[in-house]
């Protein structure tokens, strides 16, 4: 926890709890740290120093090590609202960023109140999350997905590997980190065990296309360079476990070969694509989709279940009144 050495004890304990007990990823906990450090700097500035929070040079040098429970316990809901107003007016934080800060603050005070009983009352229990407009995620159409798979360079020495990677992304909706982390012993019959966010394991089923792609790749998989990489499923040209950056480069090149470059597509967009195709063409229930994607909240899955124009057209055509025509006007 050396990275959080500038935190007061209560915050340091909270971050450690989120990391080790709740199993949050290091990236998530680092985000909590940044957001709560900003919040406690603001609280110290207005309650203790009475300094000018609009002065960046002053604000970013505020130490929060002495912002203990005695100060934290004086925080009110009004203080938090003023802080959010400050992040909007002075720091130009958008709704999504402010929503993330609210989530961090709520988690912190819930920990102090419910888990540790260090506060008798939670001052932010009625704190509302700023409304965030959910944008439709970018994804490939079914036709574009087929184009991508059929335009992978078959003359490449690593064609089978690159085809398998792309096939898994488009069919399984796995994360980039999950794909590069797959080991050979994670493959069992028609399933793959994945290690997702917060070190949470889940098992997904694979279809015939994925199985054929895996069989073709495993038949030509190069010899690992060392025992360290012995079980890594996907290997680089050097015989080491393939890196996320290398996978991104492979997908970028394959997209270019298919004439789909320059449109903002990425491995994560292929995850969007898999989820969208399963929902729109496979009629997969949203609760099942949630488990496939490894989401903890159903609301997260809902962004993938956007309705296509074709679905809306089909819905309109299925109206029981669709065959009704106007009567001919009597002359």
């Amino acid at each position: 926890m050396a990275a959080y050495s500038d935190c007061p004890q209560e915050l340091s304990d909270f971050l450690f709890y989120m990391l080790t007990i709740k199993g949050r990823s290091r990236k998530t906990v680092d985000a909590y740290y940044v957001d709560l450090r900003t919040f406690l700097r603001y609280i110290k500035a207005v309650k203790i120093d009475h300094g000018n929070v609009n002065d960046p040079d002053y604000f970013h040098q505020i130490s929060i090590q002495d912002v203990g429970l005695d100060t934290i316990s004086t925080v009110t809901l009004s203080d938090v609202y003023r802080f959010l107003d400050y992040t909007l007016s002075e720091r130009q934080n958008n709704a999504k960023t402010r929503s993330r800060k609210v989530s961090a603050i709520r988690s912190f005070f819930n920990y102090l109140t419910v888990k540790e009983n260090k506060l008798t009352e939670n001052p932010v229990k009625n704190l509302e999350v700023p409304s965030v407009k959910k944008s439709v995620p970018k994804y490939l159409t079914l036709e574009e997905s087929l184009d991508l798979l059929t335009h992978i360079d078959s003359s490449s020495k690593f064609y089978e590997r690159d085809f398998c990677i792309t096939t898994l992304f488009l069919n399984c909706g796995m994360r980039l980190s999950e794909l590069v982390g797959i080991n050979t012993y994670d493959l069992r019959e028609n399933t793959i065990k994945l290690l997702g966010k917060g070190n949470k394991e889940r098992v997904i089923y694979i279809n015939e296309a994925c199985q054929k792609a895996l069989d073709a790749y495993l038949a030509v998989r190069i010899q690992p360079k060392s025992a360290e990489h012995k079980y890594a499923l996907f290997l680089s040209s050097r015989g080491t476990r393939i890196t996320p950056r290398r996978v991104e480069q492979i997908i970028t090149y394959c997209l270019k070969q298919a004439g789909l470059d320059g449109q903002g597509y990425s491995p994560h967009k292929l995850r969007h694509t898999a989820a969208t195709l399963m929902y729109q063409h496979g009629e997969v229930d949203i609760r099942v989709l949630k488990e496939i994607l490894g989401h903890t909240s159903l609301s997260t899955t809902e962004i993938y279940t956007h309705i296509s124009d074709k679905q809306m057209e089909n819905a309109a055509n299925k109206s029981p009144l669709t065959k009704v025509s106007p009567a001919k006007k009597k002359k």
Side-chain angles (χ1 to χ4, degrees), residues 18-246:
M18 297 301 289
L19 188 66
T20 61
I21 306 302
K22 299 297 287 183
R24 299 292 189 268
S25 69
R26 170 67 69 171
K27 184 177 180 181
T28 296
V29 176
D30 284 348
Y32 276 133
Y33 162 66
V34 171
D35 289 337
L36 290 170
R37 181 183 61 184
T38 301
F39 174 64
L40 293 183
R41 279 175 172 172
Y42 176 86
I43 292 300
K44 180 177 180 180
V46 299
K47 286 183 174 287
I48 300 175
D49 293 352
H50 304 292
N52 180 11
V53 295
N54 298 331
D55 180 356
D57 292 334
Y58 156 72
F59 189 86
H60 292 299
Q61 292 183 25
I62 297 175
S63 170
I64 61 170
Q65 281 185 309
D66 58 345
V67 183
L69 192 62
D70 54 341
T71 301
I72 295 172
S73 62
T74 67
V75 171
T76 65
L77 186 58
S78 295
D79 291 329
V80 179
Y81 281 137
R82 281 192 286 269
F83 167 69
L84 293 175
D85 179 65
Y86 159 75
T87 63
L88 174 63
S89 60
E90 297 300 326
R91 301 175 74 89
Q92 285 77 53
N93 286 175
N94 58 31
K96 186 175 181 179
T97 302
R98 285 181 287 118
S99 179
R100 190 193 67 207
K101 285 180 167 57
V102 166
S103 178
I105 293 169
R106 289 173 63 176
S107 296
F108 181 46
F109 278 97
N110 186 65
Y111 164 81
L112 293 175
T113 309
V114 178
K115 182 64 182 175
E116 293 297 306
N117 295 315
K118 290 187 175 182
L119 297 178
T120 56
E121 186 175 349
N122 187 346
V124 299
K125 62 182 178 181
N126 295 320
L127 179 60
E128 297 181 9
V129 178
S131 178
V132 179
K133 182 180 180 181
K134 292 184 178 179
S135 58
V136 175
K138 193 175 183 63
Y139 65 97
L140 277 71
T141 64
L142 177 58
E143 292 73 18
E144 289 173 332
S145 299
L146 292 170
D147 280 343
L148 176 58
L149 288 169
T150 55
H151 282 83
I152 295 174
D153 186 4
S154 58
S155 65
S156 169
K157 178 182 177 181
F158 299 100
Y159 166 73
E160 289 84 0
R161 181 199 64 186
D162 299 349
F163 183 87
C164 186
I165 286 173
T166 309
T167 298
L168 290 180
F169 273 138
L170 287 173
N171 283 273
C172 303
M174 60 183 65
R175 300 179 177 94
L176 174 58
S177 60
E178 294 170 346
L179 181 130
V180 299
I182 298 174
N183 293 307
T184 53
Y185 53 75
D186 292 325
L187 308 177
R188 182 171 298 182
E189 297 180 350
N190 63 334
T191 65
I192 302 178
K193 183 175 71 175
L194 301 176
L195 186 63
K197 286 185 175 181
N199 291 323
K200 293 180 181 178
E201 293 183 348
R202 73 181 187 281
V203 174
I204 62 168
Y205 286 84
I206 58 175
N207 58 25
E208 184 180 358
C210 293
Q211 190 62 66
K212 287 181 177 179
L214 280 166
D215 291 342
Y217 166 62
L218 289 171
V220 298
R221 177 174 171 266
I222 65 176
Q223 188 68 24
K225 183 179 181 180
S226 64
E228 178 186 357
H229 306 282
K230 178 180 179 180
Y231 296 111
L233 175 61
F234 292 112
L235 298 166
S236 70
S237 59
R238 299 186 302 276
T240 58
R241 184 183 295 275
I242 201 165
T243 65
R245 179 56 187 151
R246 181 61 189 133

Side-chain angles (χ1 to χ4, degrees), residues 271-313:
R271 172 171 159 85
H272 289 319
T273 299
T276 301
L277 294 181
M278 279 187 272
Y279 184 72
Q280 293 184 355
H281 298 276
E283 299 180 356
V284 177
D285 183 86
I286 188 173
R287 291 178 293 274
V288 176
L289 192 58
K290 169 181 173 292
E291 297 303 318
I292 293 173
L293 297 174
H295 289 155
T296 56
S297 171
L298 195 62
S299 62
T300 306
T301 314
E302 289 174 348
I303 69 168
Y304 296 91
T305 58
H306 43 85
I307 301 173
S308 68
D309 292 340
K310 189 66 178 177
Q311 284 177 303
M312 291 189 286
E313 181 183 350

